[in-house]
Amino acid sequence: PRPEQPSGVPVLSAPGTPPPGVAVEDPSLIAVLPAAVAGQPVVLESQAFEDAIADPAFAANVEAAAFGVVVAGNDLSSAMVARPVHGAWSETWFRDWRESYDDGACGQAGGVAGHAEAELGGRTVFIGTCAGGAHTYHVYLEGPNVIVSVTSVGEGRFGEQIVAGLRE
């Protein structure tokens, strides 16, 4: 919940800072994603951000985010780069994030069928498998303090390529 003044008017943050509970789109965040996968560009997808901020839980946990998408034939990956609100990140918070994300991503693909952990691109990656064949990938990048969560379908395994090619 947003803090309120006694009059019921929301408390405003410093200029240029969103009020608590309001995530902003920051297109510069997709710079941590590879510029291209399998020769296809990773492009900003603002509609995905608009859809995400409609979820109050997303807005309560994310300070800024951007979505990138790459498509080629039957291969598709949607990657979210999100900066958690100040002080939110912890191992428990990240585990809850992954579970919630996987439930949402796999909800349309038969539910979550399993979880795994792997080393890709020199980083620990948490992988979810949906019953319908889609995969999710989650990485925390400490340097820029962002979470990268990816949903991917197709034989090209674009999700793996995205997390293996992350840039800090």
Side-chain angles (χ1 to χ4, degrees):
R2 180 179 293 170
E4 296 191 57
Q5 296 172 340
S7 66
V9 177
V11 174
L12 298 179
S13 302
T17 304
V22 178
V24 296
E25 183 176 31
D26 181 353
S28 72
L29 291 174
I30 68 166
V32 303
L33 303 176
V37 173
Q40 299 298 314
V42 175
V43 296
L44 182 67
E45 177 52 57
S46 292
Q47 185 58 52
F49 176 80
E50 293 299 322
D51 294 343
I53 61 171
D55 177 356
F58 180 85
N61 285 283
V62 173
E63 176 182 296
F67 289 75
V69 66
V70 59
V71 180
N74 292 326
D75 293 300
L76 164 78
S77 281
S78 174
M80 172 182 49
V81 182
R83 179 174 300 115
V85 294
H86 181 73
W89 196 93
S90 69
E91 290 292 337
T92 301
W93 183 91
F94 188 38
R95 183 179 58 247
D96 290 347
W97 172 276
R98 297 188 311 261
E99 289 174 5
S100 176
Y101 182 98
D102 289 357
D103 287 346
C106 294
Q108 300 175 26
V112 177
H115 292 100
E117 198 173 309
E119 193 81 14
L120 293 169
R123 296 177 184 88
T124 300
V125 179
F126 298 90
I127 303 168
T129 301
C130 303
H135 291 90
T136 63
Y137 304 85
H138 306 277
V139 177
Y140 174 65
L141 300 176
E142 188 174 353
N145 184 35
V146 295
I147 294 163
V148 178
S149 292
V150 181
T151 303
S152 185
V153 295
E155 299 290 322
R157 304 177 81 89
F158 284 3
E160 287 182 21
Q161 293 182 54
I162 288 172
V163 296
L166 291 174
R167 305 175 286 182
E168 287 189 64

